[in-house]
Amino acid sequence: MNAPEKMPERTAAKPAAGVSHFHESARAQVAGGATYVDDIPEIRGTLYAAPILSTVAHGRLLGVDATVALTMPGVRDVILARDIPGDPVLGTSVHDEPVFAQDIVQHIGQVVGVVVADSVMQARRAARKMTCHIEAYPAILNLHDALNAQSYVLPPVFISRGDAGAALKQAIHSLRGTLEVGGQEHFYLEGQVAYVVPQEQHQWLIYSSTQHPGEVQHWVAHALGIDQHAVRVECRRMGGGFGGKETQAGHMAVWSAIAAYKLKCPIKLRLDRDDDFMITGKRHPFAYEYTAGFDDTGRLTGLKLMMAANCGFSADLSGPVADRAVFHADNAYFLQDVEIASYRCKTNTQSNTAFRGFGGPQGVIVIETILGDIARHLGLDPLAVRRRNLYGVDERDVTHYGMKVEDNILEPLLSRLEETSQYQQRRKTIFDWNARSPVIKRGIAITPVKFGISFTATVFNQAGALVHVYLDGSVQVNHGGTEMGQGLNTKVAQIVADELGIAFDQVLSTASDTSKIPNASATAASAGTDLNARAAQFAARKVKDNLAQFVAKLDGCGAAAVRFEGGQIITPLTARGFTDVVRQAHAHRIQLWSDGFYRTPKIHYDKATLSGRPFYYFAYGAACTEVALDTLTGESRVLQVDILHDVGTSINPAIDMGQIEGGFVQGMGWLTTEQLVWSDKGQLTTHAPSTYKIPTSGDIPEHFKIDLWPEPNREDNVFGSKAVGEPPLMLAISVYEALKEAIGAARPGLGVMLTAPATPENVLNALGRA
């Protein structure tokens, strides 16, 4: 028997925030001691479910034959739509996605039901022996067919400012173009999983790998036809999420709960990787058409832009994703006379969903493409054209949706990066290289990002937390956010420790739990720390105020004169240890726990007009990327990356640097190697690591330098910090633009049309050599 793990010794109470503390689960993860849903010991009697998938993209479901499956070893039952005790449609706001396909199937991989068996593999084998009788209908499989058929999951949205038509007629120059950008698989290391355990008196415990426990609770209650208070959802951690477990995790829980309801036993459902690909939604592919007017310096004078999002077969989160794409179609640039049309297209593919950036990347890439095309058309440095179009300070500072940009640091940030990356010198060196190199071409680009922080739906910008102080001076904090590896629990613990003036290792963040924090928003929109750390800080502050009033009364001073620092509570008369005061306060019946609530200030948003102030602030950054391109094979490599990113005053610099690195590399994968391919029958053919290529360590450039912008958030945010989860992904658009520069060097004087991702095939097409 192994000896019990020795607890680390408690460190001195130094300031916790602003320091690169280890991730709170790092040691456990490295040692294999961190528990994920599939690691939870199963209760006796647990059965296992596996999904039954449609093999047709669109058609009428005539029947399901379970004859063969039910004779297989270990198979207990087959669960179909007829077994749903509550609403057969998922509890989404649009109410357009069935729990199980009933009369109609709408994509290959749509779940028709689940097989339940004694083991995981028995269930999976039996599910593959199920026969679905389907009368095939014509299917819409791409954006162009959806636009032609006016096939939408939601009505189109239009936004305008000024008179784009008149501005384009008066423009000195104009340019028309198109762009197609593919989707992206989340490829979280831990796949989708749920474990449903029936409790006494018709109550339910759901272990779910989810970014949104509250929504899982709601969906399960909705499907079972019971009150939400009877459903408790817990999530200690996820092995990655990236938006793919914001809504999609709810499906696993609902399917498992329906099986558990019928069979009256615990049910676990964990998708294998192939089924995960086939069932779950991806980043939305987009198609664009634009007409841009501009002057001799490259400044935009008019723009008409059409954006079409491939939403798949149901709405899911496509409305707010497409809205955010519209909001970020400006990126860092003032659009004077502009018209934007946004189409939310319905196709017979997986229902696309949230993915890191949530539509922002699809908005940013199109304006960066337009400005890069303008620069090549005029023969100008693309950085000069980008600078010419930047938002100003106290002028040209209102977005096309009516929000004033009040915290603009774009010009000084770009200037700093231009200098530190030696952009101008390297650009000249690359020009000389390309002049003498007929096959290998190089390109360099600097692109900025201005990313709005807050949920665009104002209602979700709220959070709650609980802080409990125990008699030994240790502190437990619980909040509505979820940990997916991004370090949220670590940052929350740092903020609470500093609020109470105690050591970081005295604070423990516990599992997300709907029975502790109700109605919590998803951990998404890069707002996890902004919301939950602030709520936890407010909860700790209430306890702190209770203790301050207690010792102030003892020493005859005002509570405002009491300080909490270094593990002590200090008055003008004396200093007492934090733990000693806690024990004394408890003896005097002083409350040592409290709740905290935070709602983001200043924000408002009219969904009907897509106008207002949807964001509390903007996070900024810029990246300088150099690439090399083989014009004979289409292969490319990223040679050098320099990043300057704005995280405000960092709560944990190491975690923030990790988020910047990871976000950039994930964005690089989206734009270079990660290609989703469907057959003409609607079958996703890239559904495993053998055919779908995420970046590996070999794709990381030897020179990968990150600096943090040295300025706190100008808004009153927790610790002066800024969100860091999503904005860095869009810095990878510099890779795409650098590749276009390299292609342009091989085709001087000709336009560059590069479909993303920039696979060798797409690069060769752009070179005119495919």
Side-chain angles (χ1 to χ4, degrees):
M1 183 174 180
N2 293 330
E5 181 181 353
K6 183 180 179 181
M7 296 297 294
E9 293 184 6
R10 183 162 291 172
T11 57
K14 299 176 181 178
V19 178
S20 293
H21 285 285
F22 287 136
H23 188 289
E24 50 90 21
S25 294
R27 291 182 176 89
Q29 287 166 324
V30 169
T35 300
Y36 296 85
V37 171
D38 205 30
D39 299 321
I40 296 170
E42 287 135 9
I43 295 172
R44 185 173 60 189
T46 296
L47 299 179
Y48 304 86
I52 305 161
L53 308 184
S54 169
T55 56
V56 175
H58 188 208
R60 179 166 295 280
L61 181 61
L62 303 175
V64 180
D65 186 353
T67 305
V68 174
L70 288 172
T71 64
M72 295 178 69
V75 174
R76 297 296 190 95
D77 206 346
V78 172
I79 310 297
L80 301 171
R82 64 182 179 231
D83 298 308
I84 302 169
D87 192 336
V89 180
L90 288 170
T92 66
S93 59
V94 182
H95 206 245
D96 67 341
E97 184 175 349
V99 173
F100 294 129
Q102 298 181 70
D103 301 324
I104 301 294
V105 294
Q106 299 192 71
H107 74 91
I108 293 177
Q110 184 174 2
V111 175
V112 177
V114 295
V115 173
V116 179
D118 291 338
S119 74
V120 172
M121 294 312 299
Q122 286 173 335
R124 289 178 179 173
R125 292 189 192 104
R128 283 157 175 75
K129 293 297 183 180
M130 295 289 297
T131 302
C132 296
H133 299 290
I134 301 170
E135 178 189 349
Y137 291 167
I140 295 175
L141 301 175
N142 59 64
L143 275 169
H144 301 288
D145 289 346
L147 287 168
N148 289 335
Q150 296 186 12
S151 175
Y152 308 131
V153 296
L154 294 165
V157 169
F158 305 94
I159 186 171
S160 64
R161 174 165 64 182
D163 189 338
L168 288 170
K169 288 179 182 178
Q170 298 169 10
I172 299 172
H173 304 278
S174 65
L175 201 59
R176 294 177 181 268
T178 61
L179 173 64
E180 292 191 13
V181 177
Q184 187 177 21
E185 167 63 30
H186 300 87
F187 219 108
Y188 20 64
L189 288 180
E190 176 205 29
Q192 298 280 2
V193 59
Y195 183 31
V196 175
V197 183
Q199 305 287 287
E200 64 169 80
Q201 301 184 67
H202 309 293
Q203 296 174 48
W204 300 83
L205 172 59
I206 318 287
Y207 296 103
S208 175
S209 180
T210 177
Q211 294 174 236
H212 199 176
E215 185 165 71
V216 172
Q217 178 192 40
H218 167 60
W219 281 19
V220 169
H222 188 78
L224 296 184
I226 61 177
D227 292 330
Q228 290 183 43
H229 69 202
V231 180
R232 175 186 162 211
V233 180
E234 179 180 309
C235 177
R236 173 58 183 92
R237 62 174 60 83
M238 290 163 274
F242 310 117
K245 295 176 181 177
E246 185 170 345
T247 62
Q248 305 292 286
H251 299 75
M252 315 307 128
V254 168
W255 299 333
S256 302
I258 293 166
Y261 182 93
K262 182 180 181 183
L263 298 176
K264 295 179 170 51
C265 68
I267 298 287
K268 179 184 281 189
L269 194 164
R270 177 174 60 82
L271 296 183
D272 71 12
R273 184 65 65 178
D274 292 88
D275 285 349
D276 204 323
F277 264 85
M278 297 300 295
I279 294 169
T280 61
K282 326 294 178 195
R283 185 188 295 280
H284 290 67
F286 267 60
Y288 314 82
E289 296 177 359
Y290 72 84
T291 303
F294 48 96
D295 63 20
D296 290 334
T297 68
R299 173 172 280 186
L300 283 166
T301 55
L303 176 64
K304 285 189 176 182
L305 174 63
M306 187 283 292
M307 314 170 74
N310 185 339
C311 303
F313 81 94
S314 70
D316 194 80
L317 294 170
S318 295
V321 166
D323 287 350
R324 187 172 275 265
V326 170
F327 289 141
H328 286 79
D330 61 339
N331 189 22
Y333 313 109
F334 179 75
L335 304 179
Q336 181 171 312
D337 293 280
V338 58
E339 291 180 10
I340 301 174
S342 172
Y343 296 93
R344 293 93 195 272
C345 298
K346 180 174 181 176
T347 60
N348 294 115
T349 59
Q350 292 82 355
S351 185
N352 290 316
T353 190
F355 199 128
R356 195 176 196 169
F358 201 81
Q362 294 98 315
V364 172
I365 193 171
V366 67
I367 192 65
E368 293 299 338
T369 294
I370 291 168
L371 293 182
D373 289 349
I374 288 171
R376 283 181 288 275
H377 179 81
L378 294 174
L380 299 175
D381 179 352
L383 178 58
V385 172
R386 290 185 167 94
R387 283 179 130 152
R388 181 73 174 135
N389 286 281
L390 289 175
Y391 277 104
V393 177
D394 297 327
E395 62 170 357
R396 291 169 49 89
D397 60 354
V398 178
T399 68
H400 55 295
Y401 48 89
M403 178 174 172
K404 184 178 176 65
V405 181
E406 299 174 333
D407 55 2
N408 186 354
I409 58 170
L410 286 162
E411 178 55 45
L413 188 145
L414 280 172
S415 296
R416 176 84 59 86
L417 182 62
E418 179 186 22
E419 178 184 351
T420 58
S421 67
Q422 299 183 308
Y423 169 79
Q424 295 297 346
Q425 300 94 308
R426 289 164 60 197
R427 181 173 159 80
K428 183 179 184 306
T429 300
I430 288 168
F431 179 84
D432 294 340
W433 166 281
N434 288 335
R436 64 177 184 269
S437 176
V439 175
I440 305 298
K441 299 295 184 181
R442 291 188 175 186
I444 190 170
I446 288 181
T447 60
V449 64
K450 173 186 70 66
F451 191 78
I453 303 299
S454 291
F455 288 93
T456 52
T458 305
V459 65
F460 296 130
N461 295 287
Q462 57 177 301
L466 295 172
V467 168
H468 298 167
V469 177
Y470 295 95
L471 295 181
D472 63 354
S474 65
V475 176
Q476 185 184 96
V477 57
N478 188 272
H479 56 85
T482 54
E483 176 63 54
M484 62 196 89
Q486 84 281 35
L488 173 60
N489 283 345
T490 308
K491 289 185 174 182
V492 169
Q494 289 177 270
I495 293 297
V496 169
D498 274 359
E499 187 66 30
L500 297 174
I502 59 178
F504 172 68
D505 62 3
Q506 286 178 252
V507 182
L508 175 68
S509 294
T510 57
S512 304
D513 189 331
T514 57
S515 69
K516 293 184 177 180
I517 306 297
N519 313 315
S521 301
T523 303
S526 298
T529 299
D530 289 7
L531 294 172
N532 295 289
R534 192 61 128 182
Q537 184 181 42
F538 287 173
R541 188 167 295 170
K542 290 181 181 179
V543 177
K544 175 182 172 181
D545 288 346
N546 291 345
L547 293 174
Q549 291 171 20
F550 171 66
V551 297
K553 187 175 181 180
L554 293 178
D555 288 359
C557 65
V562 180
R563 305 195 320 273
F564 290 66
E565 59 186 53
Q568 294 185 314
I569 299 178
I570 305 167
T571 72
L573 292 181
T574 188
R576 299 174 175 88
F578 178 82
T579 302
D580 293 337
V581 173
V582 165
R583 289 171 177 161
Q584 291 179 52
H586 177 257
H588 284 77
R589 297 180 296 173
I590 303 298
Q591 182 176 329
L592 297 175
W593 63 272
S594 193
D595 63 317
F597 180 78
Y598 174 71
R599 59 180 182 178
T600 309
K602 296 188 177 182
I603 55 175
H604 56 90
Y605 162 56
D606 185 336
K607 187 176 180 181
T609 61
L610 251 66
S611 62
R613 178 177 176 158
F615 308 121
Y616 185 33
Y617 62 87
F618 294 102
Y620 299 91
C624 178
T625 297
E626 181 179 343
V627 301
L629 176 71
D630 188 325
T631 59
L632 299 182
T633 67
E635 294 171 291
S636 64
R637 176 171 290 277
V638 176
L639 302 178
Q640 184 168 329
V641 175
D642 294 271
I643 291 172
L644 180 56
H645 197 70
D646 165 35
V647 300
T649 302
S650 177
I651 297 172
N652 190 311
I655 285 177
D656 287 348
M657 295 283 272
Q659 287 291 295
I660 296 167
E661 291 170 350
F664 183 91
V665 172
Q666 192 168 52
M668 184 175 73
W670 169 49
L671 295 173
T672 58
T673 62
E674 297 185 44
Q675 185 172 35
L676 294 162
V677 179
W678 283 265
S679 73
D680 58 3
K681 301 294 185 183
Q683 172 83 26
L684 178 62
T685 60
T686 50
H687 54 79
S690 57
T691 50
Y692 185 83
K693 300 299 183 182
I694 64 173
T696 68
S697 58
D699 296 305
I700 311 302
E702 288 188 15
H703 179 99
F704 193 2
K705 182 174 180 285
I706 299 171
D707 291 314
L708 301 180
W709 181 256
E711 181 183 345
N713 194 334
R714 296 182 188 177
E715 294 292 349
D716 181 20
N717 203 46
V718 61
F719 198 67
S721 67
K722 285 192 175 185
V724 71
E726 293 171 300
L729 185 136
M730 283 149 279
L731 298 176
I733 293 171
S734 61
V735 176
Y736 175 78
E737 282 299 299
L739 286 169
K740 289 182 71 177
E741 284 292 290
I743 293 168
R747 292 165 50 91
L750 300 175
V752 178
M753 292 182 59
L754 177 61
T755 297
T759 60
E761 180 181 6
N762 286 338
V763 168
L764 289 175
N765 279 325
L767 288 165
R769 295 180 181 176

